[in-house]
Amino acid sequence: MKTSNSLLLLLLSILILPKPSLQASPPPSPFLPNQRLIKAYTALQAWKHAITDDPTNFTADWYGPNVCNYSGVFCAPAPDDPDILTVAGVDLNNANISGTLPDDLGLLTDLALFHINSNRFCGTVPNSFRFLTLLFELDLSNNDFSGEFPSVILSLPSLKFLDVRFNKFHGDLPSSLFEKKLDALFINNNDFKFSLPENIGNSPVSVLVFANNNINGCLPSSLSNMNNTLEEIIITNSGLIGCLPPEIGSLSNLTVFDVSDNNLVGPLPETMAGMKKLEQLNIAHNQLSGEIPASVCLLPTLQNFTYSYNFFCSEPSMCLKLQASDDRKNCLPERPLQRSPEECKALYSYPVDCGVFGCTRRPPPPL
């Protein structure tokens, strides 16, 4: 009797338990973009149509409303509403794409990063970028952009990193650029023609690279105002003239100072002994003269000191003990590979007057 009851219970349990479905699982809900992603879709589709060549098919998957799945497009919760997904970054670096930047990119109002270096984009930056108020990093380097400095960049309130190097921008550089709260500024290898303004000292950047432009002016003494932030300054092959201002010695956080391949004259300021964190010092290929201060070669972190192709007439022995130094083509007695005596005599026949360049204020005449 007990066995019959057990079989009955087993049979009932089989009949009562739900049977597994043989049907396939229902398909996932279709992607439903929010209003911001719809605008992003409009912007990115306009950009795709402005692309004239995409040799690696980088943007081949730029179709459909789910822009967060596009190559090089990154989504994140919106800063003002974490429940809304939005396009926060675009990175097309090294894609070798050619084309232009359409006005519709101004619809990407939550964009924080815009990186398109090492492509073949041309034209300039559209004025619609003024709507990208959250843009933190803008990297346009190594493209074919041209025209004057894009003034719309000056209206970006959140910008901290700006890189426009290796393009074909030309003309003046607006002095208001140095009033922006940037952390890094790269404008090297363009065709800018300008003089470094006095308000350059107002810039809080840690890295400043101006190499291979047409500055044709002096290093302002106001650089000393950047002593709390500036760590690297590179202004090579840019037509700098005049003397090195002694005020640069107050740049106590500087690790790299490179003003090689210019037309600088006069002595190396003894105040540079205050650059206690300096690691790389390159003043080669100028017309600097006089004695190299021993205190410069004794800087505690200095590793590389290049002062070749100048007219220095004396160097302390400790300079030759540095990890790397280069003193060729100077006027240093008993050192190999120096300039001829005739070259040295010709330069020292005309003492340098740093005041004639208009870089420093001359003292008033005696009464």
Side-chain angles (χ1 to χ4, degrees):
M1 188 70 178
K2 290 183 178 178
T3 303
S4 299
N5 290 338
S6 299
L7 289 173
L8 181 59
L9 290 172
L10 178 61
L11 180 60
L12 289 172
S13 64
I14 293 174
L15 293 172
I16 294 172
L17 287 174
K19 296 180 180 180
S21 174
L22 298 179
Q23 297 179 351
S25 300
S29 301
F31 178 75
L32 298 175
N34 58 56
Q35 192 62 35
R36 301 190 196 195
L37 292 180
I38 291 173
K39 288 184 177 180
Y41 172 76
T42 301
L44 295 172
Q45 287 302 306
W47 195 7
K48 186 172 182 178
H49 284 91
I51 289 174
T52 55
D53 186 30
D54 183 1
T56 63
N57 291 319
F58 189 94
T59 61
D61 61 0
W62 281 28
Y63 61 86
N66 193 356
V67 296
C68 298
N69 284 342
Y70 289 10
S71 294
V73 177
F74 303 93
C75 293
D80 60 332
D81 188 344
D83 294 327
I84 295 180
L85 201 62
T86 189
V87 172
V90 170
D91 188 340
L92 272 59
N93 288 351
N94 300 294
N96 196 27
I97 294 172
S98 66
T100 57
L101 304 182
D103 288 338
D104 303 76
L105 290 176
L107 295 172
L108 300 173
T109 51
D110 293 312
L111 203 64
L113 307 176
F114 189 78
H115 292 179
I116 57 169
N117 80 55
S118 302
N119 285 284
R120 291 173 289 136
F121 287 106
C122 60
T124 190
V125 182
N127 286 330
S128 61
F129 266 49
R130 68 186 183 276
F131 299 117
L132 308 185
T133 57
L134 300 180
L135 194 62
F136 189 83
E137 294 187 6
L138 178 59
D139 185 354
L140 308 175
S141 63
N142 199 17
N143 278 283
D144 293 319
F145 291 111
S146 58
E148 295 187 348
F149 181 85
S151 59
V152 67
I153 291 176
L154 302 174
S155 66
L156 300 175
S158 303
L159 194 65
K160 295 295 182 184
F161 177 94
L162 177 60
D163 190 347
V164 299
R165 56 186 158 174
F166 292 100
N167 278 288
K168 299 173 183 176
F169 291 117
H170 62 79
D172 197 10
L173 197 68
S175 60
S176 53
L177 180 62
F178 302 106
E179 301 293 340
K180 293 195 65 62
K181 304 304 179 184
L182 297 174
D183 180 62
L185 176 59
F186 300 87
I187 68 162
N188 51 293
N189 295 82
N190 279 281
D191 294 319
F192 290 119
K193 187 174 183 179
F194 65 103
S195 296
L196 295 176
E198 276 297 322
N199 74 325
I200 190 174
N202 296 343
S203 176
V205 295
S206 62
V207 180
L208 192 60
V209 184
F210 286 171
N212 301 310
N213 281 287
N214 297 303
I215 293 179
N216 296 316
C218 309
L219 275 179
S221 59
S222 61
L223 280 173
S224 61
N225 297 335
M226 307 170 75
N227 62 309
N228 290 325
T229 58
L230 191 60
E231 298 176 3
E232 297 183 22
I233 182 168
I234 300 174
I235 314 180
T236 62
N237 189 35
S238 296
L240 285 175
I241 61 172
C243 299
L244 290 171
E247 289 84 356
I248 62 174
S250 64
L251 297 173
S252 55
N253 288 302
L254 205 64
T255 60
V256 176
F257 184 74
D258 190 342
V259 290
S260 58
D261 291 281
N262 284 292
N263 299 306
L264 296 168
V265 298
L268 201 61
E270 293 190 16
T271 56
M272 292 180 71
M275 297 179 170
K276 299 298 185 182
K277 295 183 180 179
L278 198 62
E279 299 174 4
Q280 310 289 329
L281 174 57
N282 192 344
I283 53 174
H285 291 271
N286 281 286
Q287 299 176 49
L288 298 168
S289 57
E291 300 180 359
I292 296 176
S295 55
V296 172
C297 295
L298 289 173
L299 286 169
T301 58
L302 189 62
Q303 301 171 12
N304 190 321
F305 183 16
T306 304
Y307 48 100
S308 54
Y309 291 87
N310 279 288
F311 290 86
F312 291 113
C313 62
S314 175
E315 65 181 337
S317 59
M318 62 277 295
C319 295
L320 303 177
K321 298 177 182 178
L322 292 169
Q323 183 175 330
S325 63
D326 186 353
D327 66 357
R328 292 171 299 154
K329 292 294 181 180
N330 277 284
C331 302
L332 301 169
E334 301 179 4
R335 288 293 298 165
L337 303 175
Q338 297 298 299
R339 295 184 184 274
S340 69
E342 291 77 17
E343 284 183 280
C344 297
K345 182 178 180 181
L347 180 118
Y348 279 93
S349 297
Y350 298 93
V352 174
D353 180 359
C354 294
V356 301
F357 298 95
C359 306
T360 55
R361 296 177 181 175
R362 289 175 176 270
L367 298 175

